Amino acid sequence: MHNKTFVAAAVGLGLITLPALTGCGSTDAKSSSDSKTVTLVSHDSWAVSKSVLSDFEKQSGYKVHVLKDGDAGQAVNKAILTKDNPQGDVFFGVDNTLLSRALDNGLFQPYTAKGLDKVGAAYQLDQDKHRVTPVDYGDICVNYDKAYFSEHKLTPPQSFADLAKPEYKNLLVTENAATSSPGLGFLLGSAAQFGDGGGWQDYWKKLKANGVKVVDGWEQAYYQEFSGSSEGKKAGGDRPLVVSYASSPPAEVIYAKKRPSTAPTGVASGTCFRQIEFAGLLSNAKNPTGAKAFIDFLVSKEFQEDMPLNMYVYPVLRGAKVPAEFTEYGPAAQHPETMAPGKIAANRDQWVKSWTSLVLK
């Protein structure tokens, strides 16, 4: 699989640290010391087509500099620490699992983006104050190896509950919820599905008894342990179930050396947790006018339609087209689990601590 896939399909929402692979105006960590420069601070998975970014620069008159600052969690934490003297003007890449942390720390100042009225209300989690603008969404879901289940004449699991059944014993690999955003998303999905007060904890006891394997991060899970990915096959991966993304199957098609007639992997549609990714005008930004223009660009039709094949996420703009590979091989989940940012903020650390004690010890 092409390296670009490592970023695009797997990460989508900026969840792991990987090198920059696509063209931008610049990746220099320059500050916006002049009124014609806009500095974007983001995670390592930020990507846009060169022509699309050039169009923005020509039309707006701003030159865009991009500062990629690690994975999503690292980038958010660093932005908070530097909020009084920010590294840039716009931040892109805070998702709903970290949103409350950013808002509670005053990372952003309000701005209502042009075109926001064309963005679905379900994605506008700060719609009363407009401190952030939704840009994309994606679903963390269990993927399965179609060939394995066909050869074993076994129906792939479709729900969280299915994963704890005896027929799927020793088949699932997931990421550490303490060190991996997909792992955390899967934990949050289980908490949304089974509830607190012992519900999700009992579920994970069953998963542990059913042989779930936990590894540190997505790369290891998908490219070394999962038998369904091209790289996993090469590595001798023997787990036919992995926590990944709904957008991973189309990537397996698009980046295959010889394009298959169908995706070799599928998605267990009842195991998904939705993530929404936002951009915001940084407090104390040196170029707030340019930052506002860039945020407008992020919800424009041109950027929204360019985004899926660059970051393997789905557009939030109503009417924005998605590539045919997405609709055929990786449609968004119809009924994903969700959770309010405030509830995540109130419980995240304690849940991860409990999960670590329950599953890893």
Side-chain angles (χ1 to χ4, degrees):
M1 187 179 291
H2 192 287
N3 273 348
K4 184 175 179 180
T5 313
F6 293 8
V7 172
V11 193
L13 297 165
L15 303 174
I16 57 176
T17 305
L18 289 170
L21 294 171
T22 53
C24 297
S26 170
T27 55
D28 295 338
K30 297 178 180 177
S31 63
S32 302
S33 57
D34 64 84
S35 61
K36 292 300 181 183
T37 300
V38 178
T39 298
L40 167 68
V41 183
S42 188
H43 49 58
D44 287 342
S45 302
W46 157 262
V48 61
S49 295
K50 188 174 182 179
S51 60
V52 172
L53 190 61
S54 294
D55 283 348
F56 167 74
E57 292 181 327
K58 290 176 183 176
Q59 293 171 15
S60 69
Y62 293 109
K63 183 70 175 177
V64 178
H65 291 282
V66 181
L67 171 59
K68 297 185 178 184
D69 218 10
D71 68 17
Q74 291 171 326
V76 170
N77 288 336
K78 191 169 182 179
I80 291 172
L81 291 172
T82 60
K83 67 176 183 177
D84 293 333
N85 185 25
Q87 301 179 95
D89 306 300
V90 181
F91 186 94
F92 167 77
V94 59
D95 69 17
N96 50 319
T97 69
L98 298 171
L99 181 60
S100 61
R101 180 182 297 172
L103 297 181
D104 291 346
N105 281 280
L107 185 59
F108 303 114
Q109 52 184 305
Y111 174 62
T112 303
K114 295 177 182 176
L116 190 63
D117 59 325
K118 298 180 179 65
V119 172
Y123 308 114
Q124 300 192 37
L125 301 186
D126 190 46
Q127 59 182 339
D128 294 334
K129 297 183 178 179
H130 297 296
R131 292 166 293 183
V132 290
T133 300
V135 176
D136 63 70
Y137 71 95
D139 297 313
I140 293 172
C141 308
V142 169
N143 284 203
Y144 58 85
D145 177 357
K146 289 181 178 178
Y148 175 91
F149 286 96
S150 176
E151 291 167 3
H152 290 78
K153 303 185 186 307
L154 184 62
T155 301
Q158 288 301 319
S159 67
F160 283 99
D162 283 351
L163 298 171
K165 292 180 178 178
E167 55 263 45
Y168 305 115
K169 187 176 181 63
N170 297 329
L171 301 188
L172 174 65
V173 58
T174 187
E175 300 84 0
N176 188 331
T179 59
S180 163
S181 291
L184 174 60
F186 189 57
L187 167 59
L188 295 176
S190 69
Q193 170 82 190
F194 298 105
D196 200 10
W200 71 261
Q201 293 91 336
D202 289 342
Y203 173 66
W204 277 93
K205 288 177 185 175
K206 294 176 183 176
L207 279 189
K208 184 176 182 180
N210 211 37
V212 65
K213 185 173 185 177
V214 179
V215 297
D216 285 343
W218 179 88
E219 284 183 274
Q220 184 180 356
Y222 196 79
Y223 291 123
Q224 295 181 27
E225 303 288 346
F226 181 42
S227 62
S229 71
S230 57
E231 295 297 323
K233 287 184 176 69
K234 294 177 185 175
D238 61 359
R239 294 263 167 168
L241 297 172
V242 63
V243 174
S244 190
Y245 296 88
S247 56
S248 297
E252 291 286 348
V253 173
I254 293 169
Y255 293 106
K257 289 183 178 178
K258 183 179 180 181
R259 189 162 180 148
S261 58
T262 188
T265 59
V267 169
S269 60
T271 65
C272 301
F273 178 77
R274 176 146 299 173
Q275 290 184 301
I276 305 169
E277 200 166 35
F278 303 86
L281 168 59
L282 286 166
S283 297
N284 302 307
K286 294 180 177 66
N287 187 359
T289 304
K292 291 174 182 177
F294 190 77
I295 292 172
D296 294 345
F297 164 66
L298 294 179
V299 292
S300 69
K301 188 174 182 181
E302 184 177 17
F303 180 83
Q304 289 280 305
E305 293 188 345
D306 177 68
M307 187 172 57
L309 288 179
N310 279 296
M311 294 194 282
Y312 277 73
V313 289
Y314 307 91
V316 296
L317 186 71
R318 285 194 290 267
K321 296 178 182 177
V322 296
E325 291 89 348
F326 272 55
T327 55
E328 185 169 358
Y329 306 122
Q334 293 296 309
H335 303 289
E337 297 293 346
T338 60
M339 189 174 290
K343 184 172 183 178
I344 295 173
N347 295 282
R348 180 181 52 231
D349 292 347
Q350 182 56 49
W351 286 352
V352 169
K353 184 178 180 181
S354 298
W355 179 89
T356 299
S357 178
L358 185 66
V359 179
L360 300 184
K361 297 180 181 177

